[in-house]
Amino acid sequence: MITIQGKGVSAGVAEGPLYFFQRAKTVLERYTVEDTAAEWERFKDAQQKCIDQLGELAEKAREEAGDDAAMLFETHQMMAEDLDFEEAIQALITGEANNAEAAVTDAAEQFAEMFASMDDDYMQARAADVRDVSGRILSILYGVVQGGIDSDVPVVLAADDLAPSETIQLDKTKILAFVTEGGSGSSHTAILARTMGIPAIVGLGDQIKPEFEGCTVMVDGSDGKVYVDPDEGTAARLRDKKRQQDEYKQMLEELKGKENVTLDGQPIRVFCNIGSPDDVQAVLSNDAGGVGLFRSEFLYLNCDDYPTEDYQFEAYRKVLSEMDGREVIIRTLDIGADKQIGYFDLPEEENPALGNRALRICLNRPEIFRTQLRALYRASAYGNLGIMFPMVTSVWDVREAKEMCEKVKAELRAEGIPYAENVQVGIMIETPAAAVISDRLAKEVDFFSCGTNDLTQYTLACDRQNNDLGRFFDPHHPAVLRLLKMVTDNAHKNGIWVGICGELGADLDLTETFLSIGIDELSVSPGSVLPLRKKIRETTVSGARDTILADLMG
Ligand code: PEP
Ligand code: MG
């Protein structure tokens, strides 16, 4: 047995014959062309075919791996028609009389090297994308067919590095796992492998040798190990691990469609946190009840300038329509502190977490707030919308925000633009001040959603960004849990519901506590929905409630 170590980027155990990816080989020929105009046309022709192929791949990716994967090919389409890239090729063909193949190769290398030399991991991984796009144009120029798997049985697929388009074109029923020499956790092959649930290990370098072709290998995507010709003990251990993983996955699958209710009949809603309209796919496939937190600031973070009302409206409408009547809570802009955006031109602050952030910016710069609220109310006509304000500390800031909502509704009415009348308006409880006056705040709004990430930071005076604080940043601290209990009691006394949308909501060690306190909704990342449902369905609250509450309050 030979054991080799790489970086596990998609968990899971697989066993099968090792197969090296067959790539159509081409040898670059360089020559001087006489008719540069005709050569340029030949390139333009190949470029157009490449764009068309990528469009088809985007559709295939959308069906097999969702919108994020499709977006990758749409990005490749943009790269293929990027003006800088095209101009570099044009200079080499029409300016220097190079043949199209040589011009594409040289221009692509220049761009790929530029990406590879950047500091940022994500940008470095884009070098592979440029090579992928240019490889496709070259294949078209050469008239060769892209590689694949010529095997009757499923295989563990080895490659130097797989381009995303190569990954998506492969017949997935033939692939047990990916093992590659190069690649990184943020490479798209890794992302696609995770989305499709195929184990993957990257960065194996020259440890993965051609003479292993055909050998039986076992792959453990969780610790990045590949075993070539595994001995009996290793094989038995990994098969056992795989069986447990399969059973766990299967059990989670079986939980789809089931209610989130405890053994003694207490229901709780399980919703999802998202950061982009593209995440809706994951919300639906994990069978969440709705969206409990859409962090709208990511729309702003992805733009180079203030996103327009129409741009935002389209994004919100997409989420609401795709959620098809299920509740969607969209949080208004929460920038400042750890989320800085250059075009906001915010002055530097000594203590940004305690500074001009979130609702404070919106109230100080009403034109920004108004644009977002108009987009939100316009989108409300397409689904079941709730709006919530982050970083509330007082009754007056909530009242001012609600007044702004009323103004926007009046504007839309006057303009004859439809909006829903039943939009819930709520607030995040993420400052100790808001928790302490939650009895008063509950009279102002339709719901509370507790942001335990910030509530922990502000209650314990512990910077959530500072990893060195270790055990001092303790979301299980009784001060945080007592505040949650107090907020829940105040919400219920005033007839409104309360949820948790901070990371703590997915902490299974506290599920029983949250049920005992009486939390109505837990909003968690899509991957946490089914494990949480499992935990809820195994819990009996009535027996434990008194002890838990006595421990907490005593
Ligand atoms: C929180 O503070 O718990 C929260 C959900 O908001 P964010 O993490 O975006 O600050
Ligand atoms: Mg927060």
Side-chain angles (χ1 to χ4, degrees):
M1 174 172 88
I2 300 171
T3 306
I4 52 183
Q5 178 74 56
K7 183 167 183 226
V9 292
S10 178
V13 172
E15 175 180 12
L18 190 73
Y19 179 95
F20 277 84
F21 180 64
Q22 308 289 320
R23 191 172 277 128
K25 293 256 182 333
T26 47
V27 181
L28 175 66
E29 276 181 41
R30 294 179 179 276
Y31 53 90
T32 305
V33 289
E34 302 219 322
D35 187 348
T36 55
E39 193 65 3
W40 174 243
E41 273 316 303
R42 199 163 77 81
F43 162 73
K44 289 295 289 176
D45 234 34
Q47 181 194 33
Q48 188 53 50
K49 283 199 185 107
C50 167
I51 293 167
D52 295 345
Q53 283 181 5
L54 288 166
E56 286 163 24
L57 279 176
E59 283 321 303
K60 185 166 189 285
R62 183 164 283 113
E63 278 163 30
E64 287 186 6
D67 281 350
D68 276 351
M71 200 160 67
L72 163 67
F73 294 104
E74 283 155 5
T75 311
H76 278 197
Q77 276 185 312
M78 279 190 265
M79 275 187 187
E81 53 194 345
D82 178 79
L83 273 187
D84 290 336
F85 185 47
E86 196 178 294
E87 274 169 18
I89 293 169
Q90 189 167 27
L92 290 165
I93 296 178
T94 41
E96 297 178 24
N98 283 297
N99 59 321
E101 289 85 348
V104 170
T105 306
D106 294 348
E109 218 26 60
Q110 188 189 322
F111 278 72
E113 271 170 22
M114 179 187 76
F115 280 122
S117 66
M118 291 182 177
D119 274 344
D120 181 288
D121 275 1
Y122 180 82
M123 294 312 286
Q124 283 173 5
R126 302 291 70 77
D129 292 340
V130 175
R131 294 196 174 105
D132 189 6
V133 171
S134 65
R136 177 170 297 280
I137 299 178
L138 285 173
S139 299
I140 296 167
L141 287 168
Y142 286 123
V144 294
V145 182
Q146 304 267 330
I149 304 172
D150 183 17
S151 162
D152 295 335
V153 292
V155 297
V156 171
L157 192 68
D160 45 3
D161 193 5
L162 281 167
S165 63
E166 289 173 333
T167 318
I168 201 75
Q169 277 175 96
L170 293 166
D171 176 359
K172 305 308 167 308
T173 60
K174 292 267 179 69
I175 301 169
L176 300 164
F178 292 109
V179 291
T180 64
E181 286 173 26
S184 71
S186 57
S187 69
H188 283 295
T189 303
I191 296 169
L192 285 172
R194 282 195 291 272
T195 314
M196 295 183 296
I198 298 176
I201 298 179
V202 300
L204 288 157
D206 58 8
Q207 302 175 93
I208 188 100
K209 302 196 188 317
E211 59 262 34
F212 296 157
E213 167 110 41
C215 292
T216 296
V217 293
M218 292 193 84
V219 170
D220 187 348
S222 48
D223 64 7
K225 285 199 166 68
V226 180
Y227 304 89
V228 183
D229 288 330
D231 59 33
E232 267 180 35
T234 306
R237 180 176 60 78
L238 287 177
R239 280 182 203 133
D240 199 43
K241 187 166 177 182
K242 179 167 164 43
R243 192 181 40 73
Q244 285 176 19
Q245 284 172 348
D246 288 350
E247 276 171 18
Y248 186 70
K249 257 201 230 153
Q250 181 55 33
M251 190 240 323
L252 290 183
E253 274 301 307
E254 282 165 14
L255 283 169
K256 289 188 183 168
K258 299 246 163 76
E259 286 179 31
N260 303 303
V261 64
T262 61
L263 288 170
D264 50 342
Q266 182 173 321
I268 184 164
R269 295 195 303 262
V270 178
F271 278 32
C272 276
N273 297 342
I274 62 169
S276 138
D278 293 331
D279 297 338
V280 170
Q281 184 94 8
V283 177
L284 296 173
S285 65
N286 284 285
D287 193 32
V291 171
L293 166 65
F294 176 4
R295 291 180 160 99
S296 70
E297 57 276 10
F298 286 105
L299 290 183
Y300 291 72
L301 282 158
N302 285 334
C303 291
D304 298 330
D305 203 347
Y306 296 100
T308 62
E309 179 183 320
D310 281 347
Y311 176 84
Q312 292 189 58
F313 162 70
E314 279 307 330
Y316 305 145
R317 188 183 59 84
K318 183 170 189 292
V319 174
L320 285 159
S321 321
E322 288 179 8
M323 288 302 293
D324 200 17
R326 294 181 194 84
E327 197 173 287
V328 175
I329 309 280
I330 302 183
R331 172 173 80 184
T332 57
L333 182 62
D334 183 7
I335 60 154
D338 52 319
K339 298 171 204 143
Q340 292 292 340
I341 302 181
Y343 60 80
F344 270 75
D345 258 335
L346 295 170
E348 278 213 7
E349 295 173 300
E350 285 272 320
N351 291 303
L354 304 180
N356 198 16
R357 61 170 291 200
L359 185 61
R360 296 173 182 177
I361 295 177
C362 290
L363 296 181
N364 286 339
R365 296 177 62 178
E367 69 294 349
I368 295 175
F369 199 25
R370 177 174 163 267
T371 304
Q372 180 168 39
L373 289 175
R374 279 183 62 97
L376 283 168
Y377 275 101
R378 279 173 60 193
S380 70
Y382 296 84
N384 183 358
L385 174 69
I387 296 177
M388 81 175 159
F389 309 123
M391 199 56 191
V392 162
T393 50
S394 309
V395 170
W396 70 261
D397 50 12
V398 179
R399 287 195 181 147
E400 242 183 77
K402 285 195 319 182
E403 269 166 35
M404 192 63 156
C405 292
E406 290 310 313
K407 265 194 208 150
V408 160
K409 287 200 279 183
E411 275 176 28
L412 295 179
R413 261 196 311 277
E415 293 165 34
I417 297 175
Y419 64 89
E421 281 297 348
N422 59 348
V423 174
Q424 296 187 68
V425 175
I427 55 171
M428 304 253 328
I429 301 285
E430 51 185 350
T431 63
V436 171
I437 60 163
S438 53
D439 55 334
R440 297 189 184 169
L441 290 169
K443 298 186 171 51
E444 304 290 329
V445 292
D446 300 314
F447 66 90
F448 288 155
S449 184
C450 300
T452 47
N453 309 332
D454 278 317
L455 189 60
T456 306
Q457 147 162 279
Y458 296 126
T459 304
L460 303 183
C462 262
D463 180 358
R464 64 189 265 190
Q465 298 294 106
N466 183 346
N467 287 331
D468 294 339
L469 286 169
R471 63 204 161 112
F472 293 104
F473 187 91
D474 173 20
H476 289 220
H477 193 292
V480 177
L481 299 178
R482 280 187 185 185
L483 286 178
L484 292 177
K485 162 102 173 57
M486 181 172 147
V487 169
T488 307
D489 291 346
N490 284 330
H492 290 169
K493 266 185 225 151
N494 287 282
I496 66 169
W497 63 265
V498 57
I500 293 179
C501 64
E503 295 306 305
L504 207 57
D507 185 333
L508 302 184
D509 289 338
L510 285 176
T511 311
E512 208 172 21
T513 304
F514 296 149
L515 286 159
S516 300
I517 286 174
I519 298 283
D520 302 291
E521 178 184 299
L522 295 170
S523 189
V524 298
S525 64
S528 297
V529 169
L530 294 172
L532 182 55
R533 175 171 300 167
K534 176 174 178 304
K535 177 73 186 179
I536 293 164
R537 293 175 63 84
E538 288 166 0
T539 302
T540 308
V541 214
S542 44
R545 182 180 287 116
D546 289 350
T547 324
I548 288 178
L549 294 184
D551 271 1
L552 181 59
M553 304 312 286

